[in-house]
């Protein structure tokens, strides 16, 4: 018996048969659709999350589910499939040094003719990142109505719903400074005990929209003064990262900053972006012809 045909350790307990070829097919489909390169260690996660879809649709096998998906390339199930397979881990002020840098950047920006500072969180997940950007903007300008627009996008429509609602378990904000919590979050009472919601002034600064970074072009306008593209490229292979970066830079000008995740490395894209700080990049406009 070859290693690949060994039964999975949990196979006997499973409600649905989950063969190696099912997993491989899923890997290919999510890679083509969202760029996500699933690793073998995600097998149980994939089984668990997609089993719910099989149950919801009353299907008995992964094969039937995947056939159905492929038969309807524009069908609604694709969104549910994608939502099920994304990893949405995030937190308020994750990688806090970025928000210190952003604050300094905002205080120095020459708003010029445009008047409004444009910021983009392009893998916004459940909203903690764009709301942290919004709080930073309020702090930088000393007002709840700073001259800032924040676009927050993600491929996962379910996390965007949570983000739009702006309601979180209080534990999500427990580590934040008490004064900041008091000014930017409203604590729920009665049936909302244990929850808090972001100040409506923050919600007013952010527009949430679905966007797949794999799309051939991004209909988002710009140029943006800052783009937060953090902890999403780690799920993509290098050619996909390059393709995404080559589109992102078209939404940056000479003053724009690209904020990236702590474990993302772009040495392979030095022709597109150049480091200008800790996990911070500027667009590389190339050396002018001499
Ligand atoms: C781990 S979260 C990172 C959230 C936040 N940027 C942070 O650093 O805390 C990754 C997010 O990327 C999103 N994502 C994955 N593939 C995507 C794609 N092709 N286009 C847009 N967003 C994608 C996921 O839905 C998820 O919400």
């Amino acid at each position: 018996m070859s290693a690949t045909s060994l039964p999975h350790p949990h196979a006997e307990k499973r409600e649905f048969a989950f063969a190696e070829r099912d997993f491989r097919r899923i890997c290919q489909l999510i890679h083509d659709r969202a760029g996500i390169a699933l690793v073998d260690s995600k097998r149980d996660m994939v089984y668990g999350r997609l089993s719910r879809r099989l149950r919801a649709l009353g299907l008995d096998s992964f094969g039937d589910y995947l056939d159905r998906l492929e038969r309807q390339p524009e069908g609604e199930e694709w969104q549910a499939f994608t939502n099920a397979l994304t990893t949405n881990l995030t937190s308020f002020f994750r990688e806090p040094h970025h928000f210190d840098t952003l604050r300094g950047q905002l205080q120095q920006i020459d708003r010029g003719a445009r008047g409004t500072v444009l910021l983009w969180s392009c893998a916004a997940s459940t909203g903690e990142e764009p709301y942290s950007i919004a709080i930073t903007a309020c702090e930088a300008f000393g007002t709840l109505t700073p001259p800032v627009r924040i676009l927050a996008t993600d491929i996962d429509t379910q996390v965007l719903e949570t983000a739009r609602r702006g309601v979180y378990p209080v534990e999500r904000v427990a580590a934040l400074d008490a004064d900041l919590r008091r000014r930017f979050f409203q604590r729920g009472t009665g049936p909302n005990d244990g929850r808090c919601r972001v100040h409506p002034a923050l919600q007013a600064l952010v527009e949430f929209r679905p966007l797949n970074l794999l799309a051939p072009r991004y209909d988002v306008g710009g140029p943006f003064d800052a783009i937060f593209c953090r902890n999403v490229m780690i799920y993509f292979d290098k050619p996909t990262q390059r393709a995404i970066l080559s589109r992102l830079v078209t939404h940056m000008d000479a003053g724009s900053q690209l904020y990236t995740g702590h474990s993302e490395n772009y040495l392979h894209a030095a022709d597109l972006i150049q480091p200008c700080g800790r996990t911070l990049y500027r667009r590389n406009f190339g050396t002018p012809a001499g």
Side-chain angles (χ1 to χ4, degrees):
M1 186 184 264
S2 74
T4 51
S5 61
L6 281 172
H8 188 277
H10 304 150
E12 68 284 3
K13 293 190 221 129
R14 285 183 161 159
E15 178 182 357
F16 305 105
F18 189 46
E20 176 65 16
R21 72 173 173 285
D22 297 323
F23 180 64
R24 292 286 147 227
R25 242 175 119 187
I26 293 164
C27 291
Q28 189 63 52
L29 292 174
I30 195 65
H31 183 265
D32 294 349
R33 197 49 65 149
I36 296 170
L38 284 176
V39 291
D40 282 351
S41 58
K42 298 280 183 184
R43 206 178 293 255
D44 286 345
M45 177 210 89
V46 167
Y47 174 83
R49 294 192 187 172
L50 289 182
S51 293
R52 283 182 223 140
R53 296 308 310 150
L54 267 66
R55 257 174 247 131
L57 297 169
L59 297 173
D60 310 321
S61 84
F62 274 89
D64 289 351
Y65 176 68
L66 298 171
D67 289 346
R68 179 187 166 129
L69 207 54
E70 286 185 302
R71 266 198 312 273
Q72 299 172 350
E74 304 305 324
E76 279 177 18
E77 186 54 28
W78 277 101
Q79 188 64 59
F81 174 77
T82 307
N83 290 357
L85 295 179
T86 55
T87 301
N88 309 114
L89 183 78
T90 187
S91 57
F92 286 100
F93 293 93
R94 181 181 195 181
E95 298 174 39
H97 66 96
H98 277 164
F99 298 93
D100 298 336
T101 307
L102 177 65
R103 185 184 171 128
Q105 188 194 350
L106 292 176
Q107 285 166 334
Q108 280 165 22
I109 276 175
D110 173 8
R111 284 190 279 126
R114 199 161 68 224
T116 303
V117 177
L118 296 180
L119 308 169
W120 181 16
S121 161
C122 73
S125 189
T126 39
E128 288 86 336
E129 181 178 276
Y131 289 131
S132 302
I133 295 173
I135 292 172
T136 305
C138 291
E139 298 276 74
F141 288 97
T143 167
L144 283 173
T145 54
V148 163
R149 298 288 317 144
I150 301 162
L151 176 66
T153 61
D154 200 285
I155 195 173
D156 184 333
T157 51
Q158 211 165 4
V159 290
L160 286 175
E161 264 318 300
T162 304
R164 240 178 240 119
R165 220 174 301 127
V167 176
Y168 300 93
V170 286
E171 301 81 58
R172 305 286 297 164
V173 300
L176 300 183
D177 172 77
D179 178 54
L180 193 137
R181 246 180 5 232
R182 187 183 50 73
R183 287 186 292 132
F184 295 106
F185 295 88
Q186 301 170 337
R187 219 185 151 124
T189 53
N192 290 317
D193 192 29
R195 289 197 274 257
C196 61
R197 63 166 294 188
V198 297
H199 195 296
L202 300 182
Q203 285 172 304
L205 296 175
V206 189
E207 180 195 350
F208 291 99
R209 254 204 259 167
L211 184 142
N212 184 353
L213 288 168
L214 239 54
R217 53 188 292 277
Y218 307 147
D219 187 16
V220 293
F224 291 89
D225 297 285
I227 300 178
F228 277 60
C229 182
R230 306 190 313 160
N231 306 306
V232 58
M233 293 286 220
I234 39 167
Y235 301 106
F236 305 146
D237 53 30
K238 283 209 162 49
T240 307
Q241 292 182 358
R242 252 199 92 79
I244 291 171
L245 279 177
S246 65
R247 292 189 285 274
L248 284 182
V249 294
T250 65
H251 299 275
M252 296 172 70
D253 64 16
S256 310
Q257 311 241 49
L258 178 69
Y259 292 76
T260 69
H262 63 283
S263 54
E264 289 154 346
N265 176 319
Y266 295 118
L267 289 173
H268 63 94
D271 55 322
L272 297 172
I273 52 171
Q274 284 285 312
C276 62
R278 187 170 154 205
T279 53
L280 196 64
Y281 292 82
R282 282 191 186 285
R283 180 172 178 179
N284 185 358
F285 282 93
T287 314

